[in-house]
Amino acid sequence: MRFFTAVILCVGLGCSAWGAPITTGSLIDEMTDMTALTYFPEPAYETVQFSSYDRRSSVPGGEHWFANADGFGMEPIPGFEREIRPPDGDTPGEYLICDVEGPGAIVRLWTATISGDVRVTLDDASAPLYEGPAEKFFRHPYDTFLADSAITPEVLAGSLYQRNAAYAPFPFAKRCKIVWIGNARKVHFYQVQIRKYAKETPVATFAPNDINVFADKIKKAASVLSDIEKNWTYVSQEAKPISLTVPAKTIDQGFKVEGTGAIERLVLNLKAHDLDKALRQTILHIQFDDAPWPQVQAPVGDFFGAGPGINPYVSVPFTVAPDGTMTCRYVMPYKRAMRILFDNRGDQDVSVSGSVLCSDYKWDDEASMYFRARWRVDHNLVASVHDEMGGQDLPFLIARGKGVYVGTAIMMLNPNNVPTIDGNWWGEGDEKIFVDDDVRPSTFGTGTEDYFNYAWSDPELFQFPYCGQPRNDGPANRGFVANYRWHILDRLPFDNSIAFYMELLNHGRTEGFSYARIAYHYGKEGLIDDHVNITDDDIQIPALPATWEPETWRGAKNWTIFASEALLQKAQNISYEEGPLWQGGRVLVWTPANEGETITFEFTLPEDDQYGIFMACKFQPDGGTLEAHVDGSPLEFEKKAQTRLVAPYHIQSKVIGTPGSFTAGKHQLTLVAQVAGKPIGIDFLAYSH
């Protein structure tokens, strides 16, 4: 009976029945299989990460626990497992990234940038699978094997390759060894996630021809991942409606079903006078099999991974549409019953509509797990740098029991007043994930943005199937910020415990920092965690100060900053808008009546020199387009002749700039409207030298 159960589970988990091996194709199948997440993996494996983290961080809570030399080069201890061969004259050194014995699979690669070469050898083969530029392997690992195949780089872009990460699996039967060949004084940021299967697990080692053999599977997965809303398929087609109004300060049941099954899709849309407040102050409870405490407890908006408010994006488990419709595709099984409740903690009535798509589900007492997502927040933190008062390890999930970790979302308020990414960056901290008997984390990262698959404190909005940044107010990384990452192919099983921490480590001391987060996971019955009840204080939306002044520090150290109206010389069709994103609490808005209309600012430079000229602008959905000139000569911001002040869904503050050689004295900056009737918001101007 035990063997029969394992066979059924194996089908659901992406491997074939009757002991057929793990293959490149079966791993590709897992990339869009949400039902597989609900069963504890069979065959069993652990997921570990090899990275360039600071090797001085060896003792939890010790002297160097928040050390941050993790890939720039010149680290006190090179960020590798060991040195294989020291450099000799012009011959670069060789350094071990990983050497994993036994069956396994590479399931994720990431780099911010990495110099040198890598040599990748599977199963002690006489020749490496890959030897060449390291960055090519970490960013686009399958590209080397695409010649004469049915797969093109365009198929992989945005599907298997996501931002700075690659989800291109490489299974191996006996061993995986990756060696970096380069100058350890040069940049070498990297992360490699590997599944380590149980010893006897049959695995078919990746071969270059796998790209052809499994071309149909790759194309299918890429098609789904590239257009999830269009190409995602559901087992069931009969959704049941949710429709209710929840009065202020009340709890009401929105849905209930009895029997065995699974939520395959949950769709919700809230309406209220103040929607942002309703999304944070209405708590979603999902309770499976009469558990005394609902396995899902989170503000409705934050549950969908992009609060506060509606911040649209599309990913594998979640979609948030511009009209406020929010969809969850995490499969949520139940054995006897399931119910959904809405707890309106706010002072306004909230209307809830949507649907629940339930499907049949094969419950297995040995392997089935409950979906769990519990929200937590810390308001009014003092975020700091490690040389001031020490970093902080923020707990995301501490649990004892058996389960699988499948995703993370963070929603923050960063009130730092430096207007540049070098200065107001909040995410120097690393993820530290202890699984089972770890003495040190088996997943130790290199920076918060690296965990979320991007790099270099990038403030730009982006969305991919497994990762994204759907909100970042600016300028740079100031204001509200939301990031997500879903562990689908790189899920983290744990047999008896998990402790997931993220360092809060900023460029500079920042008071009033707010950090909300959700750790999405599945757990066997009996799992206990560190969740505490959500309080009314927790669900208050933090706010930026009503007014602020940019701070000239770090990246803005040599800036001289002026309010735009202080430099205004010639203009018409001017108005002002108030808000906490803007210097002094308001922003100048120019709405040109005609194409070619101009607005002029005058600034004075103290000496002949090379300068940077900067302009903080209001980006918005209907923003205008401008050309810039200084003293009649074209000026290219960000190397572009024209600048479109357009953001897809929200208002953002962004600083655009350009270098140039200027003489001492007065200069005129003239902006020329390229479109009539579209607003152009200019917050502040600055120069640096």
Side-chain angles (χ1 to χ4, degrees):
M1 185 64 172
R2 192 175 184 86
F3 176 71
F4 179 69
T5 298
V7 168
I8 292 174
L9 292 179
C10 202
V11 173
L13 293 171
C15 59
S16 300
W18 312 110
I22 304 293
T23 67
T24 302
S26 69
L27 292 169
I28 292 290
D29 285 343
E30 290 188 43
M31 295 184 72
T32 56
D33 187 349
M34 300 300 280
T35 301
L37 300 179
T38 71
Y39 296 104
F40 195 83
E42 175 64 39
Y45 61 83
E46 60 177 319
T47 302
V48 298
Q49 179 167 284
F50 299 88
S51 79
S52 54
Y53 77 92
D54 194 318
R55 292 318 196 258
R56 293 173 297 171
S57 301
S58 58
V59 178
E63 178 184 2
H64 298 294
W65 188 234
F66 297 103
N68 195 40
D70 52 17
F72 280 105
M74 302 296 291
E75 296 90 355
I77 304 173
F80 301 96
E81 295 296 286
R82 61 182 174 87
E83 183 182 70
I84 298 173
R85 187 192 70 202
D88 183 11
D90 293 334
T91 303
E94 293 192 0
Y95 302 86
L96 183 66
I97 286 179
C98 67
D99 190 358
V100 177
E101 295 186 354
I106 300 172
V107 292
R108 173 181 170 267
L109 298 160
W110 168 92
T111 186
T113 188
I114 186 168
S115 62
D117 295 335
V118 290
R119 181 189 306 126
V120 182
T121 307
L122 302 182
D123 292 357
D124 296 320
S126 57
L129 173 72
Y130 176 89
E131 185 166 13
E135 189 147 330
K136 180 179 179 181
F137 181 74
F138 277 90
R139 294 280 184 88
H140 307 109
Y142 277 3
D143 282 13
T144 300
F145 314 109
L146 298 184
D148 301 320
S149 79
I151 305 299
T152 65
E154 291 74 22
V155 170
L156 305 176
S159 57
L160 275 65
Y161 302 160
Q162 301 183 30
R163 195 63 179 194
N164 286 37
Y167 295 90
F170 290 89
F172 54 90
K174 298 177 181 178
R175 190 179 188 187
C176 173
K177 185 176 183 180
I178 304 178
V179 174
W180 183 71
I181 306 158
N183 183 346
R185 294 174 177 268
K186 294 184 178 180
V187 66
H188 48 261
F189 290 98
Y190 69 86
Q191 294 180 7
V192 181
Q193 276 190 288
I194 290 181
R195 288 187 185 181
K196 296 171 64 176
Y197 287 102
K199 186 176 181 180
E200 302 302 324
T201 303
V203 176
T205 300
F206 178 89
N209 194 44
D210 279 7
I211 304 299
N212 261 330
V213 172
F214 300 110
D216 288 346
K217 290 180 178 289
I218 294 171
K219 287 180 179 178
K220 180 180 178 181
S223 174
V224 173
L225 295 172
S226 297
D227 195 339
I228 294 164
E229 287 297 292
K230 178 181 177 181
N231 296 327
W232 194 269
T233 59
Y234 299 96
V235 174
S236 179
Q237 302 299 320
E238 297 185 13
K240 304 296 185 182
I242 292 177
S243 181
L244 69 159
T245 296
V246 187
K249 308 297 183 184
T250 63
I251 301 175
D252 205 349
Q253 180 172 285
F255 190 85
K256 183 175 182 179
V257 65
E258 296 186 355
T260 302
I263 299 175
E264 190 178 3
R265 184 187 68 210
L266 173 64
V267 178
L268 294 177
N269 193 308
L270 269 58
K271 301 294 183 186
H273 176 71
D274 187 330
L275 182 57
D276 284 9
K277 284 180 63 177
L279 289 165
R280 175 58 67 88
Q281 296 179 357
T282 306
I283 310 301
L284 171 68
H285 301 273
I286 307 180
Q287 188 175 26
F288 306 110
D289 294 348
D290 300 317
W293 193 299
Q295 289 91 338
V296 173
Q297 285 185 314
V300 172
D302 289 43
F303 173 75
F304 290 89
I310 295 296
N311 300 289
Y313 73 96
V314 179
S315 73
V316 166
F318 290 112
T319 292
V320 177
D323 69 355
T325 302
M326 300 170 289
T327 301
C328 174
R329 282 176 284 270
Y330 272 123
V331 176
M332 308 180 202
Y334 46 91
K335 186 177 181 179
R336 296 181 299 276
M338 176 274 296
R339 65 174 183 155
I340 301 172
L341 301 99
F342 298 93
D343 179 4
N344 182 358
R345 303 278 191 88
D347 56 6
Q348 58 180 338
D349 294 353
V350 176
S351 296
V352 182
S353 62
S355 65
V356 183
L357 182 65
C358 292
S359 62
D360 294 337
Y361 178 82
K362 178 67 176 179
W363 184 274
D364 185 278
D365 288 335
E366 295 296 319
S368 291
M369 299 178 292
Y370 294 109
F371 179 72
R372 302 164 65 91
R374 289 173 170 167
W375 178 85
R376 64 199 306 163
V377 67
D378 290 295
H379 294 308
N380 293 316
L381 291 168
V382 178
S384 185
V385 293
H386 66 278
D387 57 356
E388 278 187 357
M389 55 176 286
Q392 303 169 63
D393 280 329
L394 297 182
F396 279 48
L397 174 66
I398 301 173
R400 189 172 70 181
K402 190 169 186 173
V404 178
Y405 192 93
V406 296
T408 309
I410 59 176
M411 290 72 58
M412 298 166 297
L413 176 68
N414 175 24
N416 188 293
N417 288 340
V418 179
T420 55
I421 60 173
D422 179 15
N424 74 14
W425 176 235
W426 51 267
E428 282 299 306
D430 308 330
E431 78 274 16
K432 301 167 179 174
I433 308 175
F434 298 81
V435 173
D436 296 336
D437 299 323
D438 285 348
V439 176
R440 290 186 295 167
S442 51
T443 296
F444 202 137
T446 54
T448 308
E449 80 271 47
D450 308 343
Y451 170 80
F452 289 103
N453 285 344
Y454 63 115
W456 306 120
S457 320
D458 195 339
E460 294 301 313
L461 304 184
F462 66 92
Q463 56 178 306
F464 287 93
Y466 296 164
C467 61
Q469 182 165 249
R471 182 163 182 176
N472 195 346
D473 293 348
N477 294 288
R478 185 178 185 268
F480 285 107
V481 181
N483 285 183
Y484 64 82
R485 175 175 163 198
W486 316 127
H487 293 261
I488 309 300
L489 186 63
D490 58 327
R491 68 201 72 163
L492 300 167
F494 51 96
D495 277 316
N496 53 63
S497 67
I498 188 170
F500 185 123
Y501 297 94
M502 187 78 77
E503 296 174 354
L504 178 58
L505 197 63
N506 290 33
H507 277 170
R509 179 182 174 88
T510 306
E511 298 181 3
F513 198 98
S514 177
Y515 202 127
R517 62 264 190 203
I518 303 184
Y520 304 84
H521 57 291
Y522 287 87
K524 289 278 292 175
E525 188 172 13
L527 184 144
I528 59 174
D529 63 23
D530 62 333
H531 179 67
V532 295
N533 203 4
I534 298 170
T535 70
D536 287 351
D537 288 338
D538 291 338
I539 57 175
Q540 302 307 308
I541 301 177
L544 286 167
T547 185
W548 71 293
E549 293 298 329
E551 182 180 348
T552 53
W553 184 70
R554 282 192 67 140
K557 179 180 179 181
N558 297 316
W559 286 26
T560 301
I561 300 174
F562 303 91
S564 58
E565 57 264 37
L567 303 183
L568 185 63
Q569 292 294 302
K570 177 184 177 183
Q572 54 185 334
N573 302 314
I574 293 295
S575 62
Y576 293 91
E577 294 180 7
E578 295 185 350
L581 287 184
W582 317 119
Q583 176 267 342
R586 70 175 192 168
V587 60
L588 182 155
V589 179
W590 170 44
T591 307
N594 302 292
E595 180 182 344
E597 189 174 313
T598 62
I599 183 173
T600 301
F601 303 91
E602 186 173 270
F603 59 96
T604 302
L605 298 178
E607 57 187 295
D608 297 354
D609 206 344
Q610 291 287 325
Y611 289 87
I613 304 298
F614 302 97
M615 188 164 63
C617 300
K618 178 186 180 184
F619 284 66
Q620 59 193 99
D622 63 342
T625 301
L626 60 86
E627 283 187 358
H629 301 265
V630 170
D631 303 330
S633 298
L635 187 70
E636 294 188 351
F637 284 113
E638 314 300 330
K639 299 181 180 180
K640 297 178 181 178
Q642 295 186 352
T643 302
R644 296 181 69 240
L645 305 184
V646 175
Y649 303 111
H650 288 290
I651 293 171
Q652 293 178 273
S653 173
K654 292 185 181 182
V655 175
I656 58 177
T658 186
S661 179
F662 297 92
T663 59
K666 293 183 178 181
H667 298 271
Q668 288 194 334
L669 170 65
T670 301
L671 307 181
V672 184
Q674 302 302 296
V675 182
K678 296 289 186 180
I680 293 174
I682 309 298
D683 187 20
F684 61 83
L685 295 101
Y687 67 80
S688 69
H689 71 292

